[in-house]
């Protein structure tokens, strides 16, 4: 209803690229319960009406689960980052240690980051931007292999990569 989570919700609720996951029971007459019914608009903490464009979903989640249930849930989600909060420090420490042992079986580049920050400590997450490309002309018919730049030169701009093969017409790759 208030605090940092609410401030972030107010900022992010209008963007369809964002989402809210309601985990567990939502109390009547709360924002969580209200947005579960997918209203077109919500009222911000400042009293402004704004569209609710973000995804809202609900999962049944019990606070009383054991390690195996937590591990299975986390594994099914396959997150890049795991942040353990809202639990007894010792129990969360055991869960973190067990999760680290579980993920140590994976190659290092496939392991998620696991953090257990104290209350009110900032956690910074780095998200990589995924890019896709639209390729046209002969380049699309026979793409170069990794490291092969013998067919042409590339010039990168803000939104495009222009490729000019020496023997072909000018082609370009546009990031989507």
């Amino acid at each position: 209803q208030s605090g940092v989570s609410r401030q972030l919700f107010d900022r992010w609720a209008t963007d369809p690229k964002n989402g809210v996951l309601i985990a567990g029971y939502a109390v009547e007459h709360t924002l969580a319960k209200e947005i579960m019914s997918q209203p077109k608009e919500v009222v911000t903490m400042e009293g402004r009406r704004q569209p609710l464009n973000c995804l809202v979903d609900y999962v049944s989640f019990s606070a009383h689960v054991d390690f195996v249930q937590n591990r299975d849930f986390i594994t099914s989600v396959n997150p890049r980052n795991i942040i353990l909060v809202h639990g007894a420090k010792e129990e969360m420490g055991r869960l973190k240690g067990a999760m680290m042992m579980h993920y140590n079986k994976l190659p290092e580049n496939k392991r998620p980051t696991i953090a257990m920050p104290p209350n009110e400590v900032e956690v910074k997450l780095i998200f990589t931007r995924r890019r896709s490309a639209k390729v046209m002309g002969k380049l699309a018919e026979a793409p170069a292999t990794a490291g092969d730049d013998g067919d042409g030169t590339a010039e990168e701009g803000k939104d495009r990569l222009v490729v000019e093969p020496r023997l072909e017409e000018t082609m370009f790759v546009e990031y989507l």
Side-chain angles (χ1 to χ4, degrees):
Q1 297 295 13
S2 62
V4 175
S5 295
R6 178 59 193 264
Q7 292 168 355
L8 292 174
F9 173 79
D10 286 353
R11 267 199 264 169
W12 295 347
T14 59
D15 190 337
K17 291 186 256 176
N18 294 325
V20 175
L21 182 64
I22 308 293
Y25 177 73
V27 177
E28 290 294 329
H29 309 294
T30 63
L31 177 65
K33 190 70 168 182
E34 177 187 348
I35 65 174
M36 285 172 61
S37 67
Q38 303 278 337
K40 291 188 185 296
E41 293 184 326
V42 290
V43 178
T44 66
M45 284 177 37
E46 291 83 31
R48 287 183 297 110
R49 295 192 77 71
Q50 69 179 18
L52 177 65
N53 295 329
C54 68
L55 171 74
V56 177
D57 208 350
Y58 167 83
V59 293
S60 178
F61 188 80
S62 171
H64 305 284
V65 296
D66 61 18
F67 167 75
V68 173
Q69 291 168 316
N70 273 319
R71 183 201 60 211
D72 290 350
F73 175 76
I74 292 168
T75 301
S76 71
V77 173
N78 193 24
R80 292 185 189 162
N81 301 288
I82 300 170
I83 304 172
L84 302 173
V85 297
H86 193 70
K89 187 175 182 178
E90 299 78 26
E91 295 297 318
M92 286 194 328
R94 279 197 282 274
L95 177 59
K96 179 182 178 183
M99 293 300 299
M100 290 175 80
M101 286 177 56
H102 172 74
Y103 283 110
N104 276 342
K105 298 172 189 168
L106 298 176
E108 193 169 337
N109 65 342
K110 300 283 185 186
R111 294 178 200 158
T113 301
I114 303 174
M116 192 181 91
N119 288 341
E120 299 185 21
V121 170
E122 182 177 300
V123 175
K124 292 186 180 186
L125 302 175
I126 299 171
F127 294 93
T128 56
R129 180 177 172 190
R130 292 186 183 175
R131 291 186 168 191
S132 60
K134 177 172 50 174
V135 181
M136 301 185 317
K138 295 274 184 192
L139 188 61
E141 295 168 16
T145 58
D148 177 17
D149 60 359
D151 292 343
T153 60
E155 189 179 323
E156 191 165 357
K158 184 175 181 184
D159 296 319
R160 323 185 166 221
L161 176 66
V162 179
V163 179
E164 298 180 78
R166 292 184 188 106
L167 301 174
E168 301 294 333
E169 70 276 4
T170 299
M171 301 176 189
F172 72 93
V173 178
E174 181 177 358
Y175 291 120
L176 305 176

